[in-house]
């Protein structure tokens, strides 16, 4: 196939310079022999320019778009259809262009659900999601769809209650007294522990119990304090990077129709992070 007939996929956000997505998607296209057919680029798009950018997606026949901050909510009103899960979450991070018809999805859900499903059957499992922001919303709706028994624990209890009401689950205030011993899985969807405050953790080590699965969505640094504490306590851990790769893998599937080469994506992203984080 000639270069001119390549399908273009792209990331739009502001900023995008640090994004790992172009390297990850292009390496994935190459690994499965789709690099002659697909190419992935990134463009910095200001919030005020989003409508024009989406018109450009239609006019230029851009095949797929990954949307990041600040566009995940605003893009909902600019596509032709929104997938039901993305509509519940209230955020679209992926747009697929099917001959001019734009459909929005949220692959952050798969980013949380797929890594957990590789380790356990989620149906009926008791899972605490720490946080009630954007990442927590994707986690909560994704986990409830898989019939997990979810408790939301948020610092601002009222915000957690509101999300719990929307999603149809329980909530509690995230305090030092919160007892999580009965939970099989803990998902950290707060920003606590993120660079530069890398010595902070949303939970005290005493809260953790051996055998629990602790999934920290924070991926900068790669090894957070929560992950280090969890290992020390005998918990199984899942790094935030696995979410980033899983959400990208779902985008790859939506854009190309093929399964993503997870190993290659992991290798590329990790090699970049080793140099930059
Ligand atoms: P967000 O919408 O700003 O939400 C932040 C959440 O963290 C809120 O629930 C907030 O609680 C809580 N929080 C902040 N500071 C806290 C503190 N000191 N103690 C307790 N809770 C605190 O952020 P987001 O977009 O959901 O992102 C959350 C994290 O997930 C970030 O670290 C982000 O990098 C990560 N993430 C990772 C991926 C991935 O691919 N791995 C994807 C998306 C996001 P209040 O409501 O009380 O303020």
């Amino acid at each position: 196939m000639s270069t001119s007939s390549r399908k273009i996929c792209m990331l739009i956000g502001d900023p995008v310079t640090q994004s790992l997505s172009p390297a990850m998607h292009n390496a994935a296209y190459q690994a499965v022999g789709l690099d002659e057919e697909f190419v992935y680029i990134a463009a910095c798009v200001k919030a005020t320019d989003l409508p024009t950018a989406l018109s450009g997606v239609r006019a230029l026949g851009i095949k797929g778009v990954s949307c990041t901050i600040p566009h995940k909510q605003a893009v909902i009103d600019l596509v032709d259809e929104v997938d039901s899960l993305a509509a519940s979450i209230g955020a679209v991070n992926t747009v697929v262009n099917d001959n001019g018809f734009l459909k929005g999805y949220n692959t952050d859900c798969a980013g949380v659900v797929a890594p957990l499903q590789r380790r356990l059957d989620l149906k009926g499992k008791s899972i605490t999601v720490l946080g009630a922001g954007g990442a927590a919303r994707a986690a909560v709706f994704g986990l409830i769809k898989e019939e997990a028994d979810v408790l939301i624990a948020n610092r601002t209890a009222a915000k957690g209650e509101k999300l719990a009401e929307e999603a149809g689950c329980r909530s509690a205030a995230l305090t030092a007294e919160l007892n999580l011993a009965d939970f099989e899985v803990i998902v950290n969807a707060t920003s606590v522990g993120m660079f530069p405050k890398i010595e902070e953790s949303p939970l005290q080590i005493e809260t953790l119990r051996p055998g629990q699965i602790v999934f920290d969505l924070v991926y900068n640094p790669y090894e957070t304090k929560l992950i280090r504490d969890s290992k020390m306590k005998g918990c199984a851990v899942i790094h935030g990077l696995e979410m980033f790769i899983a959400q990208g893998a779902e985008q790859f599937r939506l854009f190309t129709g093929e399964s993503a080469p997870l190993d290659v994506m992991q290798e590329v992203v990790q090699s970049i992070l080793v140099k930059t984080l």
Side-chain angles (χ1 to χ4, degrees), residues 236-257:
V237 300
I238 311 179
H239 294 85
L241 205 58
E242 203 169 323
M243 174 185 179
F244 178 76
I245 291 160
Q247 64 75 31
E250 180 61 7
Q251 289 184 334
F252 180 97
R253 191 188 67 75
L254 288 166
F255 296 161
T256 67

Side-chain angles (χ1 to χ4, degrees), residues 82-234:
V82 176
D83 161 76
S84 58
L85 197 52
S88 307
I89 297 163
V92 157
N93 76 332
T94 307
V95 177
V96 178
N97 182 355
D98 189 6
N99 292 314
F101 186 87
L102 304 189
K103 182 164 178 182
Y105 298 86
N106 187 307
T107 69
D108 284 335
C109 265
V112 176
V113 168
L116 285 168
Q117 278 177 329
R118 276 177 219 131
R119 290 152 172 99
L120 81 169
D121 177 7
L122 290 170
K123 191 171 176 179
K125 295 296 183 309
S126 52
I127 301 182
T128 299
V129 174
L130 310 177
R137 290 187 70 87
V140 166
F141 282 99
L143 293 169
I144 288 176
K145 184 162 182 254
E146 298 304 324
E147 299 179 49
D149 176 16
V150 175
L151 172 83
I152 298 163
N154 195 46
R155 176 180 60 177
T156 308
K159 199 167 147 196
E161 275 166 32
K162 189 170 173 291
L163 175 56
E165 212 169 285
E166 271 182 69
C169 67
R170 294 173 292 148
S171 72
L174 176 54
T175 62
E177 290 74 43
L178 187 65
N179 183 352
L180 298 180
D182 291 340
F183 287 83
E184 286 152 285
V185 177
I186 298 170
V187 176
N188 176 34
T190 74
S191 46
V192 183
M194 205 175 151
F195 182 84
K197 296 184 176 172
I198 60 171
E199 284 312 318
E200 292 184 0
S201 170
L203 293 177
Q204 301 191 351
I205 190 165
E206 297 75 31
T207 313
L208 302 165
R209 167 180 65 71
Q212 283 177 317
I213 296 177
V214 177
F215 188 177
D216 195 346
L217 306 190
V218 174
Y219 66 91
N220 180 8
Y222 176 70
E223 193 95 350
T224 59
K225 171 143 174 56
L226 175 62
I227 291 279
R228 284 184 273 128
D229 285 351
S230 303
K231 281 182 175 174
M232 219 183 296
K233 204 65 192 274

Side-chain angles (χ1 to χ4, degrees), residues 8 11 14-15 42 57 73 88 105 187 197 234 245 271:
I8 299 172
L11 170 70
D14 182 17
V57 167
Q73 282 84 34
S88 307
Y105 298 86
V187 176
K197 296 184 176 172
I245 291 160
S271 73

